[in-house]
Amino acid sequence: MLLKEVFHLNPNEMMFKVHETLLKFSISDFAIIIGLNCAEYPSFCNEDGIPKQLPFGSSWLCSKYFPGKSSIYRGDLYDFLDQNQVKDDTDAIKLVLIFIVDYILLSKKDNKLVDKYLWHMVDSLDMFGSFPWGRKSFFLTLEYLKKALKGKQSDSQQDVIYYKLFGFPTAFQIWIYECFISLPKTVISYHGPKIPRICSWSKAFKSNFFSLNEKALPVRNLVPTERECKDLLSCIPEFTGVSSVHKKRPFSEEELKSDSVQLNVSADLYHFLEPFFFSFFLFKP
């Protein structure tokens, strides 16, 4: 898909041309896919979503479980959670929340440090849970999507050229699935309309996307339902409504029957855990 990118004036979006159709990937699409808070950053943060002022020194949580260390590498946090049992339930929740945000939503290389502000922010679970991690994850993902092909690397042993994506590229992958109207079940399994939409898909493991005849697959832009539009308009400043060139997707029978189906892009981080995290990621083998 990245090879199909075309020039676009808006730096906060990406545009791709597939079969003469222009597909736009924006923060609104990201919010519909992932279902996390994508609202504006709170006033105590700068434009990059980092608190303007932090307490001096290490947080008490970091000092308690990593004594004598002022900085913790991401790989060290993973190893700690994998090899240790945290007896204090509240501490366990805080450590896992830091892991989810830093290791999954804001993924980077293992040799990178866990951002210090995460240790201090998690001291307040209410503040940490209601923070717009969706917005922060989107812009990091977008940054690496835009420069992926410029930083290609080669593996002489396997004779391949590859690039690395950070942030949360899984959301971009699901967005691609949503844009292709009919994908064979051998490539991806669709489980019906779910919110957030990332919960609707799982890999089939029978064949890969590259084996398909792409020209035979029609595409369309992701169009939010009326319920999704309502939440996007209230929570995302960049969202201005559905373009007149797109038709609204009608409700399915499942959506009409379900009172619980609703996108809440202002939902806190905890709502993200149950429907998505344990379905797509496993901490331990």
Side-chain angles (χ1 to χ4, degrees), residues 240-258:
T240 57
V242 179
S243 171
S244 59
V245 300
H246 297 149
K247 295 181 179 179
K248 288 188 176 181
R249 179 169 67 85
F251 290 138
S252 65
E253 292 184 6
E254 290 85 353
E255 288 177 305
L256 291 173
K257 292 178 181 179
S258 176

Side-chain angles (χ1 to χ4, degrees), residues 26-198:
S26 67
I27 191 171
S28 300
D29 300 293
F30 193 83
I32 292 172
I33 295 297
I34 196 174
L36 273 180
N37 188 346
C38 291
E40 291 184 317
Y41 295 127
S43 58
F44 64 82
C45 291
N46 60 23
E47 60 182 11
D48 295 320
I50 299 176
K52 299 174 183 177
Q53 295 183 339
L54 291 173
F56 179 77
S58 300
S59 73
W60 70 267
L61 185 68
C62 182
S63 299
K64 180 177 180 180
Y65 292 99
F66 299 92
K69 293 186 177 181
S70 58
S71 301
I72 309 300
Y73 287 96
R74 300 176 66 251
D76 293 338
L77 177 59
Y78 178 90
D79 291 340
F80 178 84
L81 291 173
D82 186 55
Q83 300 171 9
N84 295 275
Q85 182 176 2
V86 181
K87 296 181 179 180
D88 186 291
D89 291 343
T90 301
D91 288 354
I93 290 174
K94 291 180 177 180
L95 289 168
V96 171
L97 285 175
I98 292 176
F99 176 87
I100 291 172
V101 169
D102 198 69
Y103 214 92
I104 298 173
L105 297 178
L106 307 177
S107 66
K108 299 180 288 289
K109 295 180 180 179
D110 284 345
N111 62 350
K112 297 292 185 181
L113 295 172
V114 177
D115 290 316
K116 287 187 177 182
Y117 70 89
L118 295 177
W119 295 100
H120 292 286
M121 285 183 65
V122 82
D123 284 344
S124 171
L125 285 176
D126 290 338
M127 179 178 69
F128 195 93
S130 61
F131 187 81
W133 296 113
R135 171 171 288 268
K136 194 166 181 64
S137 179
F138 168 75
F139 282 109
L140 182 63
T141 304
L142 189 71
E143 174 188 346
Y144 281 99
L145 286 173
K146 287 188 173 184
K147 63 184 182 182
L149 298 182
K150 300 176 183 178
K152 292 185 291 185
Q153 304 176 49
S154 61
D155 188 330
S156 57
Q157 294 182 348
Q158 299 184 16
D159 193 27
V160 295
I161 297 177
Y162 64 95
Y163 56 84
K164 294 182 179 180
L165 294 176
F166 298 106
F168 191 54
T170 301
F172 180 70
Q173 181 181 5
I174 299 299
W175 172 79
I176 295 174
Y177 296 154
E178 289 277 349
C179 288
F180 281 87
I181 296 176
S182 56
L183 287 174
K185 294 183 179 180
T186 55
V187 175
I188 189 73
S189 296
Y190 180 66
H191 307 292
K194 298 180 184 296
I195 293 180
R197 295 195 189 187
I198 196 169

